[in-house]
Amino acid sequence: MIASLDRIITIGRATLVEAVRQRVLSVLLIFGLILVGASVFVSTVVTPGLDAAGLFDEQIKFVKDFGCGAMGLIGFAIALLSTAQLIPQELHNRTIYSILAKPVRRGEFLLGKFFGVVLLLALCVTLMSLAFAAALYWQEQQGIAFAHGLYDQQMAGHHTPEEAKAIEAQYQKDIQDIVGKVRDPQLIEAILLIFAKLVMTGAIALLISSFATSSIFTIVTTFMVYLIGHMEGVAREMWLSRGADTTVWQSAMVGLLSMIIPDMNSFTIVDEILAGNRVPWEHTFNLLGYAGVYTIVLLAVSEVIFRFREI
Amino acid sequence: MIGLSLSRRLQRALLVALLLGLWAPVKVMWEEGISREQNDLRYQGMTITRQLRDQLGQGLTIGVLSGMRNVVADFIYVINVTLAWENQEWFRMESYINLCTTLQPRSIPFWDGGGWQLAWNASVGAMRDVNQPTKLRRLHASRYWINKGLDVYLRGIANNPEHYRLWADTGQLYQQRLSDFPKAAYYYEQASLRPDCPTYYERFPAIMYANAGDEQASYDAWVRLWKRLTPSQRAEPLHQGDRIESNIRRLEKKLSVPPEKRIFPN
């Protein structure tokens, strides 16, 4: 058991090193870091100057949306590209033969490869999260500078001690609000959910590449599954409600889709977090659990297909 | 050889079918549970309709389907709403605002900014429109956009009743654009009852009633506020308890409130 785990970890580490050396993925990651960092410029372009409290809310919303959006988009591209070429590349370079000639089971090889992709995704998400944190910090400083300027302006006139106290208290509250909006601990939930969705996407790509003969087929099919996954909820609803207008074929089709395709749309709960609404940790754990179990099932199916594949 | 190959394929197919067959009911039930939880959380997703797809165009529809709904909504707000505002194309701007709020009904800045664009920018733009031949028509057009802005705020409140900002925005609209002070007072009071509302809003209802000339209602609003605040809150500078007290004392005198009914009999 430990020997098997060792082999999986070794293959995973080799996959990570191999992926890091690939220029396409590095360029994608750099592009992602730039995109996340650029979110502050988007917000500044939209709302130049901060002349009202509402504008800070808008700016922080744009930074969060674009930051997490870039993380999801670039992460998706990395998950897709890195996983899609795992098996085809090994077959093309014929390295798979020398690996499988050693005492390595096919399942271990597959799990090791996927473990490498998960490590790669974790690295990318961590780096992009750091860039995101830097962008948020910059935005926070802008907000604080504005609140400070407003405070100086208000204190410049003549005030009674009570009025001065009220202005001081309002200033403290404004700073608290700004810091509270920027340093929202719920953003950790958002990043975890983005990561879980990426891992699930990688697992779908691995499943498809376990029987596909080309990377292009895997990329296109995974992308389609990903898109359909965002509509799976509609199909499930239609299948479960079985309206009078639904024919047997339609019902069978949406039923099949509901049973196979993962519900990607549930992960758009990230939007709620970014909008500043509270999403309980229990719900996040439920979604993370769903993603985890789904990934295990996808890996199990991939293993079965790959075990019987003629190489 | 072929027989062996077939049996291997059959074996593989059976194993895959078994795995997926075992997983499918669990998956559907789990997803239903998640969906129920999200409904309970008042998370309102949106469904792609044909009308929405036509409004979005092909590229943005793919963006929405890829889980980038917030980025698409931001993009429309940043580019299209701003451009329509710059070109003073108010109907186009309204349609884009509605698109943003449909894509992200729980995002306050879209309702907040959208309502303001219509009730202030579009309505003032209509008032200054030199193409309208008479002042009456300009007034009519201006009022049309104020009502559109109000509609955005009210729909925003229906989607986000727990958030103070849209209640405060509606109060501000009634106060500044329609000079309907009693309604402004109602919305400001509702805003002040929501969490995270800045404390200055809690004094607005009484001031609005005073603006409307209804001093009794103003007094009642001050008293309601006084009773709502705890003694420690009254002492905090942000709540300005001394100001509330002086207003109550002034109105008790002015309205000749009987001593036994006064908050401050002395």
Side-chain angles (χ1 to χ4, degrees):
Chain A
M1 179 71 187
I2 292 170
S4 174
L5 210 64
D6 267 352
R7 287 192 289 270
I8 290 170
I9 292 170
T10 308
I11 295 170
R13 275 163 51 189
T15 308
L16 174 68
V17 172
E18 210 177 309
V20 169
R21 283 182 186 156
Q22 280 186 25
R23 281 190 193 148
V24 180
L25 299 182
S26 305
V27 169
L28 268 175
L29 180 60
I30 292 167
F31 197 56
L33 292 173
I34 293 170
L35 263 180
V36 173
S39 58
V40 288
F41 298 109
V42 177
S43 74
T44 319
V45 167
V46 185
T47 50
L50 279 165
D51 56 359
L55 285 188
F56 182 75
D57 288 355
E58 275 184 35
Q59 290 200 344
I60 206 73
K61 175 189 160 33
F62 291 133
V63 172
K64 285 180 182 173
D65 283 353
F66 277 92
C68 283
M71 221 184 283
L73 185 70
I74 300 295
F76 173 70
I78 291 173
L80 194 56
L81 293 178
S82 59
T83 318
Q85 57 183 352
L86 282 181
I87 299 171
Q89 202 180 28
E90 293 284 346
L91 283 169
H92 181 260
N93 297 339
R94 296 173 186 276
T95 42
I96 194 168
Y97 302 111
S98 53
I99 296 170
L100 292 180
K102 293 187 172 92
V104 175
R105 279 193 287 265
R106 287 192 182 193
E108 290 169 352
F109 171 77
L110 207 69
L111 278 179
K113 284 280 170 193
F114 185 71
F115 179 57
V117 171
V118 173
L119 287 179
L120 175 72
L121 288 174
L123 181 74
C124 293
V125 169
T126 307
L127 288 174
M128 286 194 278
S129 301
L130 289 174
F132 182 46
L136 284 172
Y137 179 74
W138 188 86
Q139 195 63 48
E140 181 191 273
Q141 292 309 305
Q142 297 297 306
I144 290 174
F146 169 73
H148 194 71
L150 195 70
Y151 169 74
D152 286 345
Q153 207 180 323
Q154 285 177 335
M155 287 301 257
H158 294 289
H159 299 290
T160 60
E162 286 74 29
E163 282 172 341
K165 260 188 197 170
I167 293 170
E168 173 74 32
Q170 188 60 51
Y171 168 69
Q172 295 299 343
K173 192 175 182 295
D174 286 349
I175 299 289
Q176 259 181 14
D177 285 351
I178 289 168
V179 173
K181 273 172 194 156
V182 175
R183 298 183 195 184
D184 183 2
Q186 284 213 121
L187 288 175
I188 297 168
E189 285 181 68
I191 292 168
L192 281 175
L193 288 170
I194 290 171
F195 178 67
K197 196 177 175 185
L198 295 178
V199 170
M200 222 160 85
T201 309
I204 296 167
L206 187 78
L207 169 64
I208 294 164
S209 73
S210 66
F211 60 82
T213 47
S214 78
S215 304
I216 296 293
F217 175 80
T218 306
I219 291 169
V220 173
T221 314
T222 309
F223 186 64
M224 290 301 159
V225 171
Y226 183 80
L227 287 189
I228 297 166
H230 284 91
M231 301 288 278
E232 190 267 353
V234 180
R236 196 180 62 242
E237 195 79 11
M238 191 176 165
W239 179 54
L240 291 176
S241 60
R242 284 196 194 95
D245 304 339
T246 320
T247 64
V248 178
W249 284 111
Q250 281 172 337
S251 184
M253 191 55 124
V254 288
L256 194 68
L257 277 177
S258 311
M259 285 191 275
I260 296 173
I261 308 284
D263 182 4
M264 292 288 191
N265 204 44
S266 296
F267 290 84
T268 50
I269 193 91
V270 169
D271 291 4
E272 283 288 285
I273 297 171
L274 300 182
N277 300 315
R278 200 185 149 273
V279 173
W281 270 102
E282 297 81 50
H283 186 69
T284 304
F285 283 132
N286 195 4
L287 276 167
L288 292 176
Y290 169 78
V293 174
Y294 212 117
T295 303
I296 291 168
V297 172
L298 289 170
L299 288 177
V301 175
S302 310
E303 199 274 333
V304 170
I305 295 172
F306 192 62
R307 197 194 317 158
F308 289 98
R309 182 171 172 170
E310 283 179 20
I311 297 171
Chain B
M1 189 68 191
I2 292 167
L4 185 74
S5 170
L6 264 178
S7 97
R8 276 172 70 87
R9 278 188 183 177
L10 195 67
Q11 215 178 332
R12 179 173 75 172
L14 280 173
L15 262 171
V16 169
L18 183 72
L19 272 169
L20 291 177
L22 284 173
W23 166 238
V26 180
K27 170 195 179 288
V28 172
M29 269 157 50
W30 200 334
E31 286 169 352
E32 276 295 293
I34 290 171
S35 184
R36 259 197 309 276
E37 267 183 38
Q38 295 194 342
N39 281 339
D40 292 344
L41 283 166
R42 288 185 49 75
Y43 169 57
Q44 294 160 354
M46 38 70 60
T47 317
I48 293 273
T49 59
R50 184 159 186 179
Q51 191 196 0
L52 193 67
R53 188 243 164 278
D54 289 346
Q55 278 183 292
L56 286 170
Q58 205 172 28
L60 293 181
T61 304
I62 289 176
V64 170
L65 287 177
S66 314
M68 297 280 157
R69 203 174 67 193
N70 50 355
V71 178
V72 170
D74 288 352
F75 180 79
I76 293 166
Y77 196 78
V78 169
I79 308 289
N80 298 15
V81 173
T82 310
L83 267 179
W85 166 63
E86 281 174 0
N87 297 333
Q88 304 210 351
E89 294 172 319
W90 308 125
F91 284 98
R92 190 179 289 251
M93 188 176 80
E94 185 205 0
S95 128
Y96 286 132
I97 288 167
N98 286 338
L99 191 55
C100 292
T101 53
T102 305
L103 287 171
Q104 278 206 291
R106 298 272 284 157
S107 178
I108 305 299
F110 290 145
W111 296 108
D112 174 35
W116 172 76
Q117 288 275 20
L118 296 173
W120 271 263
N121 288 343
S123 102
V124 172
M127 201 59 204
R128 290 177 184 165
D129 186 2
V130 288
N131 295 321
Q132 293 284 11
T134 63
K135 193 180 176 188
L136 189 66
R137 280 197 177 195
R138 287 200 287 276
L139 266 172
H140 185 262
S142 175
R143 186 62 184 254
Y144 172 83
W145 289 115
I146 293 172
N147 285 333
K148 283 287 176 187
L150 180 63
D151 179 51
V152 168
Y153 284 152
L154 293 178
R155 279 188 289 127
I157 288 173
N159 280 285
N160 307 276
E162 74 287 356
H163 206 286
Y164 83 88
R165 180 165 280 284
L166 298 171
W167 291 95
D169 285 341
T170 313
Q172 195 178 16
L173 187 144
Y174 273 116
Q175 179 199 348
Q176 296 181 1
R177 306 302 290 150
L178 297 171
S179 299
D180 187 339
F181 298 113
K183 275 195 177 157
Y186 168 76
Y187 283 99
Y188 280 135
E189 190 155 9
Q190 288 299 317
S192 72
L193 294 171
R194 261 76 192 169
D196 299 326
C197 181
T199 49
Y200 47 82
Y201 279 116
E202 60 194 27
R203 296 185 291 276
F204 280 19
I207 297 167
M208 289 304 113
Y209 284 123
N211 284 351
D214 189 347
E215 294 202 305
Q216 182 59 50
S218 176
Y219 170 72
D220 292 342
W222 285 120
V223 170
R224 270 202 306 279
L225 175 57
W226 182 259
K227 286 182 177 169
R228 208 170 77 205
L229 297 176
T230 59
S232 65
Q233 281 177 320
R234 289 172 199 157
E236 283 173 26
L238 270 178
H239 291 282
Q240 299 194 11
D242 49 344
R243 201 169 155 195
I244 303 169
E245 185 184 328
S246 72
N247 274 298
I248 293 174
R249 283 184 187 279
R250 179 178 58 80
L251 287 168
E252 278 177 344
K253 234 183 240 176
K254 194 172 180 186
L255 297 169
S256 308
V257 178
E260 68 277 9
K261 287 186 177 172
R262 287 186 182 194
I263 301 291
F264 303 105
N266 305 317

